[in-house]
Amino acid sequence: MEFGWSEEEERFRQDLRAFLDEELPPNWEEIAAGGPGSDEQVRFCRSFCPRLAERGWLTQHWPREWGGLDASPWRHAILGEEMWARGEPRGPQYMNVNWIGPAIMRFGTEEQKAELLPPIARGEALWCQGFSEPEAGSDLAALRTAAVREGEVYRVNGSKIWTSYANHAERCFLLVRTDPASRRQRGISVLLMPMDLAGIEVREIPSVVGDRYFHEVFLNDVEVPVSCRLGPEDEGWAVVTYALQYERVGAARYARAARILDRLAEEARRRGRLDDPRLLERLGEARAACEAARLLTYRVIDMRAHGAPPSADSQLARVAGTLAERRVADLALELFGPESLAYGSPGAQHFRAAMTAGVAVGATEIQLNLIASRILGLPRE
Amino acid sequence: MDFQPNGDQQAIQEAVEALLARHAGAERAIALAAKGETDGELEAALAEAGYRDLALGPETGPLEAALVVEAVSRAAGLVSAGASLLVAPMLLGEAAPGPVALAAGDEPVPLRFGAHAPTLLVARGDEAFRVDLTPADREPVPSNFGYPMGRVRADVRAKGRSLGAGSGPRLRAWWRVALALEAAGSMRAALALTVDYVQRRRQFGRPIGSFQAVQHRLAECEVLVSGAHWLALEAAFHGADPERSALAAAHALEAAGRVFHDTHQFTGAMGFTLEHDLHVHTMRLQALRLELGGLGSHRVAASRARWVGTA
Ligand SMILES: Cc1cc2nc3c(=O)[nH]c(=O)nc-3n(C[C@H](O)[C@H](O)[C@H](O)COP(=O)(O)OP(=O)(O)OC[C@H]3O[C@@H](n4cnc5c(N)ncnc54)[C@H](O)[C@@H]3O)c2cc1C
């Protein structure tokens, strides 16, 4: 047990920071304000990710065979921290490298790997995640979007909702029901669906969390080639479970929260308020929550580095992260006072970045259910 | 970065668990507390096994000492583990015999082990002071907060020897790490007892632990306790740097408030009795929460260390 970084890891972090200082344009803050799915940020990520890939950093934790460097999960975690702390210049591409690529490596055919992995590794691919449906949110296994096999295609009908980045993505990691008679986890398959097929309609859902944030994806008689199926037919749940293990702690949201907190403290100093013990207390309270989330995330990365099987420990990290984000969000509004009410103000932006924490990537209550049953061993309700 | 214990650390953990199985536990703590005593036998066993020298050992350091402090607290050992095994060696550069008491400033408030400790460390501004105490200098204070309490005469405190410039902040930092470790140990034990209780206790024809309202609050406690554990160990590993040690204490003692009320809530009236072991761990949490200025002061210290540049 030791909690230090190796020299090589420290150097990597410094190199990354220097790289970001050089690559991020002077108006980066404005670009980042829209969130990873905004038009501006997506445009930026299309030029940024290839440069990250040139250095070998984008998919460094992947095997060499697929454009990686076999780097340790810790190096990838450092990358994630530095990216999220700077507003995630990878845009939606963080998903590709964290979990979509690894799922394709694990379950894909040779053709799928050869076609889909290189663009991800080069930083050229944009994906979206088609899981949630109007009637299937926390209860994902209730999904109904139907895919009926007709020769060499699946005819897909149904709709997906809350799909981030659907307006930009070229592909969708889509969950469908291939066995209409099946219920729950059985009979689900994964399709790696090109988004330019006939019959796909993407509609924006206006929201208070940001422009072009949420989408509904309508699928009307979309013909998806059978060759797009990832893993065996009707057995997609195993693929999803595998992918979600990587998704859950993939985004270093605690690093963004910690960075925002530093900004808040900076702002408090500018206003001559850093000698106010009440404010210092609030800042300390929020920082402790960020640090707890960081260590619980590290614990999951450590288990991965040791090759331990995935466990419910990732849920501890997620819940801690949500607690941290909420504290930082509340403080952001309070610190800037009524000025936070102005659209686009720093308080409003920080708040917006954090307000979805308890729902996006799975509701907190579901995570608590898993902790209660898998870690505490409490009986089912 | 490696969260798994190495071979030596694992050996230490196993050895201390074996020692604690013989010389600690809630039952002993209850019996000793009734007499207002500390556990001399456990104290001697820890010393004999060399744990007092762990923090300054050639092959070991504060992290290994921290693992032992947390384990002693988890097992309800009635010794000044944090002060003796971690704080005193790191401050004095040598082990101190017997219980060690810690004080912040000069108010003659009740101190943990204050009626038993031959050594008192006082944090006063930029300096820390070592005061050697005789029985005449100390007086027991009856308390049911899980530790033997005592007051030290104000005039005696003033006679301490300074440990030099900058020793005050160092004492506060190590003390905070010790508080975080002891709280983490007590919380872990209290939570385990409660999880066990809600599985066995049935009402409405089912275990109360099957109610989601109960599950979620215990699951949240698990998140907080796990966070406290790792923050405390990390702070010890990094030599109690001012920010990390204050954050560890801030997180652990906030969690302690939450864990206290939730564990007592879910164990019903039984949890308040001396028949059940819960109180052994929970009452201590409240004592820990009041030390060194309390939760607010740890939070402020963390913020000062990070953003103002003074702890
Ligand atoms: C910012 C954001 C981005 C998103 N991006 C995507 C995306 O790209 N792709 C995608 O597929 N989905 C996406 N989602 C959807 C997300 O996965 C779902 O919102 C989430 O799984 C919860 O589903 P729901 O919103 O339908 O809430 P519901 O399932 O209706 O639940 C509402 C609330 O009920 C409570 N609840 C539900 N079940 C239980 C239970 N068993 N026990 C106790 N309480 C319960 C919880 O408090 C929960 O928050 C996104 C969501 C957000 C907020």
Side-chain angles (χ1 to χ4, degrees), chain A residues 1-5 74 262 265 269 280 283-284 287 294-295 298 302 306 327 365 369 377 379 381, chain B residues 1-4 9 63 195 199 206 210 212 215-216 222 231 234 237-238 243 254 299 303 306-307:
Chain A
M1 191 182 290
E2 52 95 4
F3 301 97
W5 297 110
W74 287 114
D262 282 336
R269 183 204 312 285
L280 289 174
L283 285 166
R287 172 120 186 113
R294 175 177 64 81
L295 281 171
Y298 282 8
D302 184 67
H306 282 281
R327 286 197 170 166
E365 285 74 14
N369 283 348
E381 194 162 24
Chain B
M1 202 67 72
D2 189 351
F3 282 48
Q4 307 294 323
Q9 290 164 340
L63 176 59
V195 167
Q199 280 171 298
R206 55 199 272 205
S210 67
Q212 197 187 47
Q215 292 188 349
H216 281 189
E222 175 65 34
L231 279 170
E234 193 199 40
F237 175 83
H238 286 290
E243 185 193 336
E254 181 190 340
R299 288 173 173 166
S303 286
R306 181 166 188 84
W307 293 297

Tab-separated table of all heavy atoms in Angstrom, chain A residues 1-5 74 262 265 269 280 283-284 287 294-295 298 302 306 327 365 369 377 379 381, chain B residues 1-4 9 63 195 199 206 210 212 215-216 222 231 234 237-238 243 254 299 303 306-307:
chain	number	residue	atom	x	y	z
A	1	MET	N	0.847	-1.184	0.000
A	1	MET	CA	0.000	0.000	0.000
A	1	MET	C	0.885	1.237	0.000
A	1	MET	O	1.773	1.375	0.821
A	1	MET	CB	-0.865	-0.031	1.274
A	1	MET	CG	-1.980	0.980	1.291
A	1	MET	SD	-2.892	0.906	2.852
A	1	MET	CE	-3.760	-0.662	2.719
A	2	GLU	N	0.644	2.101	-0.959
A	2	GLU	CA	1.332	3.392	-0.977
A	2	GLU	C	0.526	4.317	-1.867
A	2	GLU	O	-0.144	3.870	-2.782
A	2	GLU	CB	2.795	3.239	-1.443
A	2	GLU	CG	2.954	2.488	-2.755
A	2	GLU	CD	3.043	3.402	-3.948
A	2	GLU	OE1	3.047	4.635	-3.728
A	2	GLU	OE2	3.080	2.905	-5.067
A	3	PHE	N	0.589	5.606	-1.572
A	3	PHE	CA	-0.309	6.540	-2.250
A	3	PHE	C	0.445	7.607	-3.041
A	3	PHE	O	-0.018	8.729	-3.169
A	3	PHE	CB	-1.240	7.198	-1.222
A	3	PHE	CG	-2.074	6.198	-0.457
A	3	PHE	CD1	-1.673	5.751	0.791
A	3	PHE	CD2	-3.240	5.683	-1.012
A	3	PHE	CE1	-2.432	4.810	1.495
A	3	PHE	CE2	-3.999	4.754	-0.313
A	3	PHE	CZ	-3.598	4.315	0.939
A	4	GLY	N	1.598	7.225	-3.539
A	4	GLY	CA	2.378	8.198	-4.302
A	4	GLY	C	2.342	7.883	-5.793
A	4	GLY	O	2.023	6.769	-6.201
A	5	TRP	N	2.661	8.867	-6.605
A	5	TRP	CA	2.797	8.649	-8.046
A	5	TRP	C	4.258	8.368	-8.353
A	5	TRP	O	5.151	8.916	-7.705
A	5	TRP	CB	2.354	9.895	-8.817
A	5	TRP	CG	0.914	10.246	-8.640
A	5	TRP	CD1	0.410	11.322	-7.957
A	5	TRP	CD2	-0.220	9.527	-9.148
A	5	TRP	NE1	-0.963	11.308	-8.015
A	5	TRP	CE2	-1.369	10.227	-8.740
A	5	TRP	CE3	-0.369	8.369	-9.911
A	5	TRP	CZ2	-2.667	9.799	-9.057
A	5	TRP	CZ3	-1.648	7.952	-10.232
A	5	TRP	CH2	-2.775	8.649	-9.806
A	74	TRP	N	-3.722	3.455	-14.358
A	74	TRP	CA	-3.407	4.687	-13.622
A	74	TRP	C	-3.084	5.828	-14.572
A	74	TRP	O	-3.472	6.966	-14.354
A	74	TRP	CB	-2.227	4.469	-12.667
A	74	TRP	CG	-2.609	3.646	-11.480
A	74	TRP	CD1	-2.164	2.396	-11.175
A	74	TRP	CD2	-3.529	4.011	-10.441
A	74	TRP	NE1	-2.754	1.964	-10.006
A	74	TRP	CE2	-3.583	2.929	-9.538
A	74	TRP	CE3	-4.307	5.141	-10.192
A	74	TRP	CZ2	-4.390	2.945	-8.404
A	74	TRP	CZ3	-5.112	5.159	-9.068
A	74	TRP	CH2	-5.145	4.068	-8.181
A	262	ASP	N	-11.620	25.192	-6.841
A	262	ASP	CA	-10.441	26.070	-6.866
A	262	ASP	C	-10.799	27.431	-7.457
A	262	ASP	O	-10.351	28.470	-6.984
A	262	ASP	CB	-9.315	25.429	-7.686
A	262	ASP	CG	-8.576	24.340	-6.913
A	262	ASP	OD1	-8.608	24.381	-5.666
A	262	ASP	OD2	-7.969	23.461	-7.549
A	265	ALA	N	-12.727	29.446	-4.915
A	265	ALA	CA	-11.854	30.003	-3.887
A	265	ALA	C	-11.085	31.203	-4.449
A	265	ALA	O	-10.904	32.218	-3.763
A	265	ALA	CB	-10.886	28.936	-3.383
A	269	ARG	N	-11.198	35.005	-3.095
A	269	ARG	CA	-10.007	35.793	-2.775
A	269	ARG	C	-10.084	37.163	-3.454
A	269	ARG	O	-9.839	38.196	-2.852
A	269	ARG	CB	-8.754	35.056	-3.243
A	269	ARG	CG	-7.454	35.791	-2.868
A	269	ARG	CD	-6.292	35.438	-3.767
A	269	ARG	NE	-6.123	34.011	-3.956
A	269	ARG	CZ	-5.610	33.190	-3.040
A	269	ARG	NH1	-5.198	33.669	-1.887
A	269	ARG	NH2	-5.508	31.907	-3.284
A	280	LEU	N	-14.778	29.653	4.489
A	280	LEU	CA	-13.690	28.671	4.503
A	280	LEU	C	-14.204	27.302	4.937
A	280	LEU	O	-13.775	26.267	4.435
A	280	LEU	CB	-12.562	29.136	5.428
A	280	LEU	CG	-11.749	30.325	4.922
A	280	LEU	CD1	-10.756	30.786	5.983
A	280	LEU	CD2	-11.011	29.978	3.636
A	283	LEU	N	-15.978	25.781	1.987
A	283	LEU	CA	-15.015	25.342	0.971
A	283	LEU	C	-14.321	24.053	1.417
A	283	LEU	O	-14.140	23.120	0.634
A	283	LEU	CB	-13.971	26.436	0.728
A	283	LEU	CG	-14.419	27.659	-0.085
A	283	LEU	CD1	-13.398	28.784	0.061
A	283	LEU	CD2	-14.589	27.302	-1.561
A	284	GLY	N	-13.958	24.000	2.700
A	284	GLY	CA	-13.277	22.817	3.218
A	284	GLY	C	-14.180	21.592	3.182
A	284	GLY	O	-13.751	20.490	2.846
A	287	ARG	N	-14.377	20.456	-0.412
A	287	ARG	CA	-13.125	19.866	-0.875
A	287	ARG	C	-12.945	18.460	-0.294
A	287	ARG	O	-12.484	17.550	-0.973
A	287	ARG	CB	-11.946	20.757	-0.501
A	287	ARG	CG	-10.606	20.124	-0.769
A	287	ARG	CD	-9.741	20.884	-1.739
A	287	ARG	NE	-8.542	20.091	-2.006
A	287	ARG	CZ	-8.246	19.547	-3.169
A	287	ARG	NH1	-8.993	19.741	-4.214
A	287	ARG	NH2	-7.168	18.813	-3.315
A	294	ARG	N	-12.396	11.174	-5.039
A	294	ARG	CA	-11.176	10.827	-5.778
A	294	ARG	C	-10.606	9.500	-5.275
A	294	ARG	O	-10.312	8.599	-6.067
A	294	ARG	CB	-10.121	11.939	-5.602
A	294	ARG	CG	-8.782	11.621	-6.233
A	294	ARG	CD	-7.788	12.773	-6.112
A	294	ARG	NE	-7.425	13.094	-4.741
A	294	ARG	CZ	-6.502	12.429	-4.015
A	294	ARG	NH1	-5.866	11.392	-4.553
A	294	ARG	NH2	-6.231	12.778	-2.773
A	295	LEU	N	-10.485	9.353	-3.966
A	295	LEU	CA	-9.870	8.129	-3.441
A	295	LEU	C	-10.729	6.902	-3.695
A	295	LEU	O	-10.216	5.814	-3.965
A	295	LEU	CB	-9.561	8.287	-1.956
A	295	LEU	CG	-8.285	9.103	-1.714
A	295	LEU	CD1	-8.123	9.429	-0.251
A	295	LEU	CD2	-7.065	8.347	-2.216
A	298	TYR	N	-10.072	5.990	-7.171
A	298	TYR	CA	-8.747	5.356	-7.258
A	298	TYR	C	-8.816	3.892	-6.819
A	298	TYR	O	-8.144	3.039	-7.365
A	298	TYR	CB	-7.739	6.077	-6.351
A	298	TYR	CG	-7.202	7.376	-6.907
A	298	TYR	CD1	-7.721	7.944	-8.063
A	298	TYR	CD2	-6.152	8.031	-6.275
A	298	TYR	CE1	-7.221	9.137	-8.555
A	298	TYR	CE2	-5.639	9.222	-6.760
A	298	TYR	CZ	-6.181	9.770	-7.896
A	298	TYR	OH	-5.668	10.944	-8.368
A	302	ASP	N	-7.451	0.906	-8.894
A	302	ASP	CA	-6.460	0.006	-8.303
A	302	ASP	C	-6.879	-1.455	-8.478
A	302	ASP	O	-6.061	-2.317	-8.798
A	302	ASP	CB	-6.302	0.329	-6.811
A	302	ASP	CG	-5.211	-0.500	-6.162
A	302	ASP	OD1	-4.037	-0.293	-6.517
A	302	ASP	OD2	-5.528	-1.362	-5.336
A	306	HIS	N	-4.920	-4.348	-10.591
A	306	HIS	CA	-4.541	-5.650	-10.029
A	306	HIS	C	-5.269	-6.801	-10.708
A	306	HIS	O	-5.147	-7.955	-10.274
A	306	HIS	CB	-4.840	-5.685	-8.524
A	306	HIS	CG	-3.817	-4.967	-7.704
A	306	HIS	ND1	-2.599	-5.515	-7.375
A	306	HIS	CD2	-3.806	-3.731	-7.170
A	306	HIS	CE1	-1.900	-4.655	-6.662
A	306	HIS	NE2	-2.613	-3.555	-6.524
A	327	ARG	N	-22.311	19.489	-3.506
A	327	ARG	CA	-21.786	20.514	-2.596
A	327	ARG	C	-21.144	21.646	-3.364
A	327	ARG	O	-21.315	22.811	-3.034
A	327	ARG	CB	-20.750	19.893	-1.667
A	327	ARG	CG	-21.443	19.053	-0.662
A	327	ARG	CD	-20.585	18.739	0.498
A	327	ARG	NE	-21.470	18.138	1.474
A	327	ARG	CZ	-21.072	17.493	2.530
A	327	ARG	NH1	-19.796	17.385	2.776
A	327	ARG	NH2	-21.930	16.978	3.356
A	365	GLU	N	-30.142	6.229	-6.296
A	365	GLU	CA	-30.866	5.187	-5.543
A	365	GLU	C	-30.522	3.788	-6.054
A	365	GLU	O	-30.467	2.835	-5.270
A	365	GLU	CB	-32.374	5.412	-5.623
A	365	GLU	CG	-32.869	6.557	-4.753
A	365	GLU	CD	-32.513	7.928	-5.305
A	365	GLU	OE1	-32.109	8.026	-6.488
A	365	GLU	OE2	-32.630	8.898	-4.545
A	369	ASN	N	-28.893	0.851	-3.914
A	369	ASN	CA	-29.429	-0.519	-3.880
A	369	ASN	C	-28.299	-1.531	-4.046
A	369	ASN	O	-28.240	-2.545	-3.348
A	369	ASN	CB	-30.421	-0.747	-5.024
A	369	ASN	CG	-31.779	-0.104	-4.759
A	369	ASN	OD1	-32.065	0.313	-3.647
A	369	ASN	ND2	-32.605	-0.039	-5.787
A	377	GLY	N	-24.531	-6.748	1.918
A	377	GLY	CA	-25.156	-8.066	2.002
A	377	GLY	C	-26.556	-8.041	2.577
A	377	GLY	O	-27.013	-9.029	3.166
A	379	PRO	N	-30.672	-8.087	2.650
A	379	PRO	CA	-31.624	-8.870	1.857
A	379	PRO	C	-32.471	-8.001	0.921
A	379	PRO	O	-32.674	-6.822	1.193
A	379	PRO	CB	-32.517	-9.527	2.914
A	379	PRO	CG	-32.358	-8.714	4.141
A	379	PRO	CD	-31.009	-8.076	4.082
A	381	GLU	N	-35.629	-6.364	-1.001
A	381	GLU	CA	-36.887	-5.866	-0.456
A	381	GLU	C	-38.029	-6.814	-0.811
A	381	GLU	O	-38.071	-7.330	-1.900
A	381	GLU	CB	-37.192	-4.471	-1.010
A	381	GLU	CG	-38.280	-3.793	-0.245
A	381	GLU	CD	-38.288	-2.278	-0.474
A	381	GLU	OE1	-37.796	-1.839	-1.517
A	381	GLU	OE2	-38.755	-1.551	0.397
B	1	MET	N	1.142	4.190	-6.870
B	1	MET	CA	-0.202	4.100	-6.286
B	1	MET	C	-0.585	2.627	-6.164
B	1	MET	O	-0.530	1.900	-7.154
B	1	MET	CB	-1.166	4.833	-7.225
B	1	MET	CG	-2.436	5.289	-6.606
B	1	MET	SD	-2.277	6.592	-5.369
B	1	MET	CE	-1.863	8.026	-6.363
B	2	ASP	N	-0.885	2.188	-4.988
B	2	ASP	CA	-1.241	0.780	-4.808
B	2	ASP	C	-2.055	0.657	-3.519
B	2	ASP	O	-1.545	0.915	-2.437
B	2	ASP	CB	0.027	-0.078	-4.720
B	2	ASP	CG	-0.286	-1.562	-4.758
B	2	ASP	OD1	-1.489	-1.923	-4.682
B	2	ASP	OD2	0.647	-2.372	-4.838
B	3	PHE	N	-3.305	0.284	-3.662
B	3	PHE	CA	-4.188	0.229	-2.491
B	3	PHE	C	-4.118	-1.118	-1.763
B	3	PHE	O	-4.704	-1.281	-0.705
B	3	PHE	CB	-5.636	0.520	-2.903
B	3	PHE	CG	-5.924	1.991	-3.117
B	3	PHE	CD1	-5.084	2.776	-3.885
B	3	PHE	CD2	-7.033	2.583	-2.547
B	3	PHE	CE1	-5.330	4.125	-4.091
B	3	PHE	CE2	-7.310	3.934	-2.738
B	3	PHE	CZ	-6.453	4.711	-3.509
B	4	GLN	N	-3.413	-2.080	-2.369
B	4	GLN	CA	-3.295	-3.383	-1.711
B	4	GLN	C	-2.109	-3.355	-0.744
B	4	GLN	O	-1.069	-2.823	-1.085
B	4	GLN	CB	-3.040	-4.489	-2.748
B	4	GLN	CG	-4.033	-4.525	-3.887
B	4	GLN	CD	-5.415	-4.901	-3.411
B	4	GLN	OE1	-5.565	-5.728	-2.527
B	4	GLN	NE2	-6.427	-4.269	-3.991
B	9	GLN	N	3.079	-5.236	5.144
B	9	GLN	CA	1.892	-4.588	5.710
B	9	GLN	C	0.829	-5.621	6.057
B	9	GLN	O	0.154	-5.526	7.081
B	9	GLN	CB	1.336	-3.564	4.706
B	9	GLN	CG	2.251	-2.352	4.551
B	9	GLN	CD	1.947	-1.535	3.312
B	9	GLN	OE1	1.318	-2.032	2.370
B	9	GLN	NE2	2.388	-0.293	3.298
B	63	LEU	N	2.473	5.195	7.733
B	63	LEU	CA	1.360	4.457	7.140
B	63	LEU	C	1.127	3.143	7.879
B	63	LEU	O	-0.015	2.781	8.185
B	63	LEU	CB	1.617	4.190	5.648
B	63	LEU	CG	0.557	3.342	4.945
B	63	LEU	CD1	-0.823	3.992	5.023
B	63	LEU	CD2	0.931	3.109	3.477
B	195	VAL	N	-25.268	-3.349	10.508
B	195	VAL	CA	-25.630	-4.162	9.339
B	195	VAL	C	-26.026	-5.574	9.810
B	195	VAL	O	-27.004	-6.157	9.344
B	195	VAL	CB	-24.462	-4.214	8.327
B	195	VAL	CG1	-24.685	-5.300	7.288
B	195	VAL	CG2	-24.288	-2.850	7.662
B	199	GLN	N	-30.089	-7.308	9.801
B	199	GLN	CA	-30.357	-8.572	9.104
B	199	GLN	C	-31.079	-9.561	10.012
B	199	GLN	O	-31.831	-10.407	9.549
B	199	GLN	CB	-29.039	-9.187	8.618
B	199	GLN	CG	-28.558	-8.537	7.345
B	199	GLN	CD	-27.169	-8.970	6.961
B	199	GLN	OE1	-26.200	-8.751	7.684
B	199	GLN	NE2	-27.057	-9.613	5.817
B	206	ARG	N	-40.497	-9.365	8.309
B	206	ARG	CA	-39.298	-9.390	7.457
B	206	ARG	C	-38.140	-8.705	8.179
B	206	ARG	O	-38.349	-7.927	9.110
B	206	ARG	CB	-39.600	-8.664	6.145
B	206	ARG	CG	-40.115	-7.259	6.384
B	206	ARG	CD	-40.829	-6.710	5.180
B	206	ARG	NE	-39.874	-6.072	4.303
B	206	ARG	CZ	-40.196	-5.101	3.441
B	206	ARG	NH1	-41.454	-4.696	3.306
B	206	ARG	NH2	-39.288	-4.569	2.685
B	210	SER	N	-34.309	-5.237	5.094
B	210	SER	CA	-34.830	-5.381	3.735
B	210	SER	C	-35.632	-4.151	3.317
B	210	SER	O	-36.027	-4.039	2.164
B	210	SER	CB	-35.694	-6.645	3.615
B	210	SER	OG	-36.875	-6.493	4.393
B	212	GLN	N	-36.007	-0.561	2.001
B	212	GLN	CA	-35.081	0.255	1.208
B	212	GLN	C	-34.652	1.531	1.947
B	212	GLN	O	-33.514	1.983	1.810
B	212	GLN	CB	-35.712	0.615	-0.136
B	212	GLN	CG	-34.687	1.085	-1.143
B	212	GLN	CD	-35.320	1.610	-2.409
B	212	GLN	OE1	-36.254	2.393	-2.375
B	212	GLN	NE2	-34.806	1.168	-3.539
B	215	GLN	N	-31.830	0.491	3.978
B	215	GLN	CA	-30.681	0.113	3.134
B	215	GLN	C	-29.947	1.338	2.600
B	215	GLN	O	-28.720	1.395	2.618
B	215	GLN	CB	-31.157	-0.724	1.950
B	215	GLN	CG	-31.680	-2.088	2.352
B	215	GLN	CD	-31.948	-2.965	1.135
B	215	GLN	OE1	-31.939	-2.500	0.002
B	215	GLN	NE2	-32.209	-4.238	1.389
B	216	HIS	N	-30.723	2.309	2.129
B	216	HIS	CA	-30.066	3.450	1.491
B	216	HIS	C	-29.241	4.258	2.480
B	216	HIS	O	-28.148	4.715	2.171
B	216	HIS	CB	-31.105	4.338	0.808
B	216	HIS	CG	-31.526	3.774	-0.514
B	216	HIS	ND1	-32.307	4.450	-1.407
B	216	HIS	CD2	-31.255	2.579	-1.088
B	216	HIS	CE1	-32.499	3.706	-2.480
B	216	HIS	NE2	-31.888	2.558	-2.304
B	222	GLU	N	-21.808	3.594	4.303
B	222	GLU	CA	-20.691	2.811	3.764
B	222	GLU	C	-19.816	3.688	2.857
B	222	GLU	O	-18.579	3.612	2.904
B	222	GLU	CB	-21.231	1.600	2.989
B	222	GLU	CG	-20.184	0.752	2.279
B	222	GLU	CD	-19.221	0.043	3.219
B	222	GLU	OE1	-19.646	-0.358	4.319
B	222	GLU	OE2	-18.036	-0.106	2.838
B	231	LEU	N	-8.923	8.328	2.998
B	231	LEU	CA	-8.372	9.675	3.200
B	231	LEU	C	-7.390	9.689	4.370
B	231	LEU	O	-6.343	10.340	4.313
B	231	LEU	CB	-9.500	10.681	3.476
B	231	LEU	CG	-10.251	11.226	2.263
B	231	LEU	CD1	-11.478	12.005	2.717
B	231	LEU	CD2	-9.357	12.112	1.425
B	234	GLU	N	-4.174	7.899	3.346
B	234	GLU	CA	-3.399	8.704	2.397
B	234	GLU	C	-2.691	9.846	3.123
B	234	GLU	O	-1.534	10.162	2.841
B	234	GLU	CB	-4.293	9.252	1.284
B	234	GLU	CG	-3.487	9.823	0.131
B	234	GLU	CD	-4.265	10.766	-0.769
B	234	GLU	OE1	-5.069	11.577	-0.270
B	234	GLU	OE2	-4.058	10.707	-1.981
B	237	PHE	N	0.301	8.510	4.871
B	237	PHE	CA	1.358	8.203	3.901
B	237	PHE	C	2.110	9.472	3.502
B	237	PHE	O	3.326	9.470	3.346
B	237	PHE	CB	0.760	7.542	2.660
B	237	PHE	CG	1.765	7.310	1.558
B	237	PHE	CD1	2.579	6.194	1.569
B	237	PHE	CD2	1.903	8.229	0.527
B	237	PHE	CE1	3.519	5.989	0.567
B	237	PHE	CE2	2.842	8.037	-0.475
B	237	PHE	CZ	3.651	6.911	-0.460
B	238	HIS	N	1.365	10.569	3.333
B	238	HIS	CA	1.993	11.818	2.899
B	238	HIS	C	2.517	12.647	4.072
B	238	HIS	O	2.624	13.873	3.960
B	238	HIS	CB	1.018	12.638	2.059
B	238	HIS	CG	0.826	12.076	0.676
B	238	HIS	ND1	1.811	12.114	-0.277
B	238	HIS	CD2	-0.218	11.446	0.101
B	238	HIS	CE1	1.377	11.535	-1.393
B	238	HIS	NE2	0.148	11.115	-1.188
B	243	GLU	N	-2.899	20.161	4.435
B	243	GLU	CA	-4.202	20.081	3.775
B	243	GLU	C	-4.806	18.681	3.896
B	243	GLU	O	-5.960	18.516	4.301
B	243	GLU	CB	-4.073	20.455	2.292
B	243	GLU	CG	-5.442	20.498	1.626
B	243	GLU	CD	-5.375	20.553	0.101
B	243	GLU	OE1	-4.356	20.999	-0.442
B	243	GLU	OE2	-6.352	20.127	-0.530
B	254	GLU	N	-17.265	14.526	9.958
B	254	GLU	CA	-18.607	14.764	9.427
B	254	GLU	C	-19.343	13.416	9.303
B	254	GLU	O	-20.485	13.264	9.735
B	254	GLU	CB	-18.525	15.433	8.058
B	254	GLU	CG	-19.911	15.696	7.506
B	254	GLU	CD	-19.893	16.132	6.055
B	254	GLU	OE1	-18.850	16.600	5.575
B	254	GLU	OE2	-20.938	15.975	5.410
B	299	ARG	N	-12.243	21.911	8.806
B	299	ARG	CA	-12.594	22.407	7.466
B	299	ARG	C	-11.874	23.716	7.165
B	299	ARG	O	-11.333	23.901	6.071
B	299	ARG	CB	-14.105	22.618	7.382
B	299	ARG	CG	-14.887	21.324	7.332
B	299	ARG	CD	-16.373	21.610	7.416
B	299	ARG	NE	-17.150	20.399	7.206
B	299	ARG	CZ	-18.440	20.300	7.486
B	299	ARG	NH1	-19.096	21.327	7.990
B	299	ARG	NH2	-19.086	19.171	7.249
B	303	SER	N	-9.050	24.531	4.193
B	303	SER	CA	-9.162	25.633	3.229
B	303	SER	C	-7.979	26.576	3.324
B	303	SER	O	-7.439	27.034	2.325
B	303	SER	CB	-10.451	26.417	3.464
B	303	SER	OG	-11.547	25.669	3.019
B	306	ARG	N	-5.015	25.018	1.667
B	306	ARG	CA	-5.056	24.948	0.211
B	306	ARG	C	-5.052	26.326	-0.449
B	306	ARG	O	-4.360	26.533	-1.426
B	306	ARG	CB	-6.290	24.185	-0.255
B	306	ARG	CG	-6.320	24.098	-1.782
B	306	ARG	CD	-7.287	23.097	-2.324
B	306	ARG	NE	-7.095	22.960	-3.756
B	306	ARG	CZ	-6.199	22.191	-4.326
B	306	ARG	NH1	-5.381	21.491	-3.569
B	306	ARG	NH2	-6.073	22.128	-5.633
B	307	TRP	N	-5.857	27.231	0.104
B	307	TRP	CA	-6.095	28.463	-0.655
B	307	TRP	C	-5.507	29.716	-0.026
B	307	TRP	O	-5.401	30.738	-0.669
B	307	TRP	CB	-7.599	28.647	-0.878
B	307	TRP	CG	-8.165	27.604	-1.792
B	307	TRP	CD1	-7.823	27.407	-3.099
B	307	TRP	CD2	-9.158	26.613	-1.484
B	307	TRP	NE1	-8.547	26.344	-3.620
B	307	TRP	CE2	-9.374	25.852	-2.654
B	307	TRP	CE3	-9.890	26.315	-0.339
B	307	TRP	CZ2	-10.290	24.800	-2.707
B	307	TRP	CZ3	-10.796	25.265	-0.390
B	307	TRP	CH2	-10.990	24.521	-1.560
